[in-house]
């Protein structure tokens, strides 16, 4: 992974018809080949939360891929920049 100052952590909250449509599995597939870590999970309120960390361009590329592939299901995306977390590994579905 890149140096700490090059690492970006972004939390995306997707709203719309995003649960029960393969959103999380799609996010994992879209992350293949990208140097990102973090997780994607369903939220109790019906949203999907994607917490992703990595080089800025890789994080943005994942968000672009997810948006493009799931655009018909997404009504709104809330984006929150956060401080990177140490020792994260893999990009997974969290339950």
């Amino acid at each position: 992974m890149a140096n700490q100052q090059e690492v970006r952590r972004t939390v995306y909250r997707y709203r719309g018809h995003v649960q029960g449509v393969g959103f999380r599995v799609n996010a994992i597939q879209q992350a293949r080949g990208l140097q990102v870590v973090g997780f994607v999970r369903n939220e109790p309120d019906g949203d999907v939360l994607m917490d992703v960390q990595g080089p800025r361009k890789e994080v943005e590329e994942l968000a672009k891929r997810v948006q493009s592939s799931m655009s018909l299901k997404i009504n709104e995306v809330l984006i929150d920049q956060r401080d990177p977390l140490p020792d994260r590994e893999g990009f997974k579905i969290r339950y």
Side-chain angles (χ1 to χ4, degrees):
M1 179 139 358
N3 292 337
Q4 196 65 17
Q5 62 266 26
E6 297 173 355
V7 172
R8 170 174 286 187
R9 177 176 173 222
T10 307
V11 176
Y12 299 89
R13 179 176 285 272
Y14 295 95
R15 294 192 163 153
H17 183 63
V18 293
Q19 289 192 16
V21 296
F23 196 102
R24 293 172 299 165
V25 171
N26 177 66
I28 297 299
Q29 291 170 343
Q30 298 301 330
R32 284 194 185 129
L34 297 176
Q35 297 176 7
V36 295
V37 296
F39 65 88
V40 59
R41 73 172 177 225
N42 286 342
E43 295 291 283
D45 62 5
D47 293 350
V48 171
L49 188 101
M50 184 170 77
D51 185 331
V52 61
Q53 178 173 312
R56 181 183 58 81
K57 288 185 178 188
E58 302 277 301
V59 170
E60 290 171 355
E61 178 63 22
L62 176 56
K64 186 169 77 173
R65 290 179 184 184
V66 169
Q67 178 71 37
S68 176
S69 62
M70 300 302 286
S71 62
L72 297 176
K73 306 294 182 187
I74 300 169
N75 294 339
E76 180 181 17
V77 183
L78 304 175
I79 301 170
D80 186 17
Q81 300 298 325
R82 306 237 177 121
D83 290 334
L85 297 173
D87 302 326
R88 292 183 104 183
E89 292 183 13
F91 186 72
K92 331 173 165 83
I93 294 175
R94 189 175 280 179
Y95 296 94

